[in-house]
Amino acid sequence: EPNHNSLQIEVFVTVLLNLASKSFTHCFSAIAKYHSAFMALKTSEEAQISILSTIFEVWRKHQQLLVILISKLLKSEVIECSSVANWLFSKENSSEFMKSYIWEILNQTIQKSIRSVESLEKELEESKEKLRKKCESQGKSFKSHWFRWTIGRLQQVFFEHHNHVFKYLSTFETLLFTADLDQHILLIFKQFCALRN
């Protein structure tokens, strides 16, 4: 059973985009004004793909607007990069596959993913450095309650989202869980990877 209402999404998105069809500015304002409604509708990847499919049906003849709207929805976190990729490569889009706007959407999605990973890497490095300087100045072991709690949360994320983590395992290994990462964190990742075998 789908955990989203396709008809509800289709009606909401179609009406909203038609009401805001005067200009890019009207579309952006509508997305901003009804952001909470979008967030309530995007209950799963399938729901996000339904949002994308409806936008495509409304604006299929205005490819530039499609590119810009999808970029806006990515930035506002209404849709996730993985949903865009799955939608782009779906059977329903096979007739559009050779069109340049599809590849423009894919490229902007990849760039958004890279920026997100870089931001997370920066946050991680800052946190590691901050923790190292707390620990050093106070002469304490880094294996504090906070550290153990955070490691536990990391394990929880891996287990709760194991399908997605395994799907992008090589990407995580290349971009995030590299050899220069703190060995204690890297060990958690390697232990999780070993469960797949």
Side-chain angles (χ1 to χ4, degrees):
E1 284 294 308
N3 59 355
H4 68 283
N5 187 326
S6 296
L7 181 61
Q8 186 181 42
I9 290 171
E10 186 179 338
V11 170
F12 171 75
V13 175
T14 302
V15 170
L16 186 67
L17 293 180
N18 280 310
L19 287 173
S21 63
K22 288 184 181 178
S23 68
F24 290 159
T25 308
H26 283 82
C27 283
F28 294 163
S29 296
I31 290 170
K33 185 174 182 180
Y34 294 98
H35 185 262
S36 59
F38 273 109
M39 296 304 277
L41 289 172
K42 68 156 218 172
T43 54
S44 63
E45 185 172 278
E46 291 78 18
Q48 293 172 43
I49 289 172
S50 187
I51 290 170
L52 289 164
S53 298
T54 305
I55 291 169
F56 175 74
E57 288 304 317
V58 174
W59 292 113
R60 66 189 313 152
K61 292 182 181 176
H62 301 279
Q63 296 167 356
Q64 181 188 11
L65 184 56
L66 274 173
V67 172
I68 293 168
L69 278 177
I70 290 171
S71 175
K72 181 70 174 174
L73 291 172
L74 279 167
K75 284 177 187 167
S76 60
E77 299 179 353
V78 169
I79 51 174
E80 295 163 14
C81 296
S82 59
S83 299
V84 176
N86 286 328
W87 173 72
L88 287 173
F89 292 108
S90 65
K91 192 187 296 184
E92 291 74 24
N93 269 345
S94 58
S95 62
E96 302 292 303
F97 196 68
M98 300 295 286
K99 296 181 180 174
S100 61
Y101 82 96
I102 289 287
W103 295 95
E104 191 175 345
I105 292 170
L106 181 62
N107 283 327
Q108 77 184 11
T109 304
I110 291 169
Q111 288 169 353
K112 171 78 167 67
S113 293
I114 290 169
R115 284 193 301 271
S116 296
V117 169
E118 286 173 346
S119 174
L120 288 170
E121 284 179 333
K122 185 180 176 188
E123 267 183 56
L124 180 63
E125 286 303 315
E126 287 171 356
S127 295
K128 279 169 49 180
E129 185 61 22
K130 187 177 177 184
L131 180 62
R132 188 185 63 76
K133 288 179 178 174
K134 281 164 56 202
C135 290
E136 284 179 0
S137 65
Q138 297 174 8
K140 292 181 179 176
S141 168
F142 69 90
K143 290 186 178 178
S144 62
H145 172 70
W146 180 89
F147 181 83
R148 288 191 298 274
W149 184 87
T150 305
I151 289 291
R153 289 297 184 193
L154 178 61
Q155 290 172 318
Q156 178 187 2
V157 168
F158 283 156
F159 289 121
E160 283 189 18
H161 305 285
H162 64 276
N163 289 333
H164 292 289
V165 175
F166 281 134
K167 196 183 294 185
Y168 301 105
L169 207 57
S170 60
T171 305
F172 286 132
E173 286 176 318
T174 306
L175 298 175
L176 192 57
F177 294 97
T178 56
D180 60 336
L181 186 66
D182 182 282
Q183 293 304 305
H184 300 89
I185 297 170
L186 195 56
L187 179 63
I188 299 298
F189 181 69
K190 286 181 177 177
Q191 288 172 342
F192 174 75
C193 292
L195 294 176
R196 193 178 191 192
N197 298 333

